Amino acid sequence: MDKKLDGRWNHNIHYYDIALAAAPMARKALDVGTGDGLLAARLAENVDEVTGIDSDNETLTNAQKNMSADIAWIAGDVLMYPLPEAHYDLVTAVATVHHFPDLATGLERLARLTAPGGTLVVIGCARSSIAQDYALELVGAVQHQVLSRRRGYWQHNAPVQMDFPHTYTQVKGIATGVLPGMIWRRLPLWRYAIIWGKPE
């Protein structure tokens, strides 16, 4: 990664380690909704072939200018672009799937892109609807204040959509149906994680 990008922090970057934990086992990785390309650059430190795809041309152009890592950049919609299926040992999507017109269809597409034996990691955003969600919102608010003061908060350049179509409970239900055996984690800082290993 370019040195001038080191040390940046926000809610998405905070959870990159969940995706990076699967990187040492991967040879080919796809970062969906790559935005500024920070996760793609981190993946490229351990993965031989990294592709970053994003539908926002301007953001992707900025990522290409700022990154020195060897990454294949694609401007396009992951739901429509002719990517090779069952090809990527690691597919990541951070703060991306709430942009999909249909969550189940989007998750199915990401699953098809994942190679047998590979891993799909989704870090997503949703709406609170139950007591546990609201409790974690309070934890997240405190965590945000502490970490923002300590590290500073960096606002990425990618378009932001704060209208989340699903609750956390709904996302978990949809993902359970599409990705059998997936691991679900509800996270502070207004996020959840889905980790799914595609059967061999």
Side-chain angles (χ1 to χ4, degrees):
M1 181 187 294
D2 200 307
K3 289 295 184 185
K4 67 183 179 181
L5 299 178
D6 287 351
R8 296 190 177 190
W9 181 85
N10 61 29
H11 301 158
N12 294 330
I13 294 169
H14 187 78
Y15 293 116
Y16 278 179
D17 283 349
I18 296 173
L20 293 169
M25 304 300 293
R27 294 179 298 106
K28 300 174 182 178
L30 175 68
D31 185 34
V32 178
T34 195
D36 292 288
L38 272 67
L39 178 55
R42 294 281 304 277
L43 290 170
E45 295 171 6
N46 290 301
V47 181
D48 295 333
E49 177 188 307
V50 177
T51 301
I53 184 168
D54 201 287
S55 59
D56 189 77
N57 240 332
E58 184 177 351
T59 304
L60 199 66
T61 299
N62 288 333
Q64 289 176 280
K65 289 178 181 177
N66 290 323
M67 295 296 167
S68 57
D70 185 15
I71 298 166
W73 304 102
I74 296 175
D77 182 347
V78 71
L79 301 178
M80 304 296 293
Y81 196 89
L83 293 162
E85 296 196 352
H87 178 74
Y88 302 97
D89 306 304
L90 175 62
V91 175
T92 60
V94 178
T96 297
V97 300
H98 65 279
H99 292 275
F100 291 164
D102 181 79
L103 179 59
T105 300
L107 291 177
E108 288 168 357
R109 168 65 167 161
L110 299 186
R112 290 197 304 272
L113 294 171
T114 306
T119 304
L120 168 62
V121 178
V122 175
I123 307 296
C125 310
R127 290 183 283 111
S128 294
S129 63
I130 59 176
Q132 181 187 13
D133 293 337
Y134 293 111
L136 278 171
E137 281 193 5
L138 292 175
V139 173
V142 174
Q143 193 174 11
H144 169 80
Q145 292 297 326
V146 172
L147 292 173
S148 293
R149 289 194 187 100
R150 186 183 303 164
R151 304 183 186 184
Y153 186 88
W154 176 67
Q155 180 59 54
H156 58 73
N157 296 307
V160 176
Q161 178 181 317
M162 296 298 292
D163 182 20
F164 306 131
H166 300 96
T167 66
Y168 293 100
T169 301
Q170 288 170 332
V171 172
K172 184 179 180 181
I174 292 167
T176 299
V178 175
L179 307 169
M182 66 93 184
I183 296 170
W184 167 270
R185 291 174 58 187
R186 177 68 173 86
L187 305 167
L189 295 176
W190 304 280
R191 297 294 184 271
Y192 64 83
I194 293 169
I195 304 166
W196 178 69
K198 187 169 186 176
E200 294 278 1

